[in-house]
């Protein structure tokens, strides 16, 4: 190899290596969305929560983007604080679709006292979240709670 070819090839290879090492994978991006969504709910930041939800959201329970937004708005108004535990997060990515599966407990402090919205003191609730890549950004398109239908995670 000539000296000129080496001078050109080495920076290109180093650049590709740096992009590979420092550009987050889709799995890491989706994990970040899950944890950012959790933090946004704890802070009662409705806009930040909804930034992760697709306008095309529709689930088997009849919820859409707008109904989720209205329900969260109402919940945030009547709730003083939230405690959310996420455990055993797994992500599978297939091209422009992905699924995140995890266990969750959501405890809310309301004027009537502490209430578990998902799970209980001893038991986590299973959650499956479907995501699609829309304009280079992963957005939630459906949420499913299999433990409510007797399916173990």
């Amino acid at each position: 190899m000539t000296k000129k070819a080496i001078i050109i090839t080495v920076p290109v290879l180093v650049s590709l290596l740096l992009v590979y090492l420092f550009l987050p994978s889709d799995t890491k991006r989706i994990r970040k969305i899950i944890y950012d969504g959790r933090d946004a709910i704890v802070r009662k930041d409705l806009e930040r929560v909804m930034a992760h939800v697709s306008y095309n959201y529709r689930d088997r329970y009849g919820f859409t983007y707008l109904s989720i937004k209205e329900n969260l708005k109402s919940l945030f108004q009547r709730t003083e604080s939230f405690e959310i535990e996420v455990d055993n997060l797994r992500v599978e990515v297939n091209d422009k679709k992905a699924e995140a599966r995890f266990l969750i407990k959501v405890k809310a402090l309301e004027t009537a006292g502490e209430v578990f919205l998902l799970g209980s003191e001893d038991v986590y609730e299973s959650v499956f979240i479907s995501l699609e890549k829309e304009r280079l950004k992963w957005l939630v398109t459906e949420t499913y709670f299999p433990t409510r239908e007797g399916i173990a995670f």
Side-chain angles (χ1 to χ4, degrees), residues 25-67:
S25 68
D26 285 332
T27 301
K28 286 181 183 177
R29 288 178 181 161
I30 292 169
R31 287 177 159 282
K32 185 178 177 188
I33 288 168
I34 301 300
Y35 289 115
D36 188 57
R38 177 200 60 193
D39 294 343
I41 290 171
V42 168
R43 288 180 173 76
K44 301 194 316 184
D45 185 344
L46 182 62
E47 295 307 315
R48 196 165 125 207
V49 173
M50 297 310 295
H52 299 299
V53 180
S54 171
Y55 289 120
N56 299 318
Y57 182 97
R58 180 167 303 281
D59 63 30
R60 62 188 74 202
Y61 310 108
F63 288 101
T64 63
Y65 176 91
L66 291 175
S67 61

Side-chain angles (χ1 to χ4, degrees), residues 85-139:
E85 293 179 39
V86 173
D87 192 28
N88 200 19
L89 174 58
R90 292 185 250 159
V91 177
E92 292 179 23
V93 178
N94 294 315
D95 197 31
K96 293 189 180 272
K97 293 186 182 246
E99 184 175 80
R101 297 176 178 208
F102 54 94
L103 301 171
I104 193 167
K105 289 182 190 178
V106 179
K107 185 169 37 172
L109 180 60
E110 297 179 342
T111 53
E114 290 183 351
V115 177
F116 276 92
L117 303 176
L118 292 172
S120 66
E121 191 70 44
D122 301 323
V123 179
Y124 283 88
E125 177 112 21
S126 297
V127 180
F128 293 6
I129 293 181
S130 298
L131 302 100
E132 288 186 18
K133 203 170 203 177
E134 298 179 11
R135 289 184 234 128
L136 303 176
K137 184 177 178 186
W138 287 100
L139 295 172

Side-chain angles (χ1 to χ4, degrees), residues 60-61 125 144-152:
R60 62 188 74 202
Y61 310 108
E125 177 112 21
Y144 169 54
F145 300 97
T147 48
R148 293 187 179 184
E149 297 176 21
I151 300 170

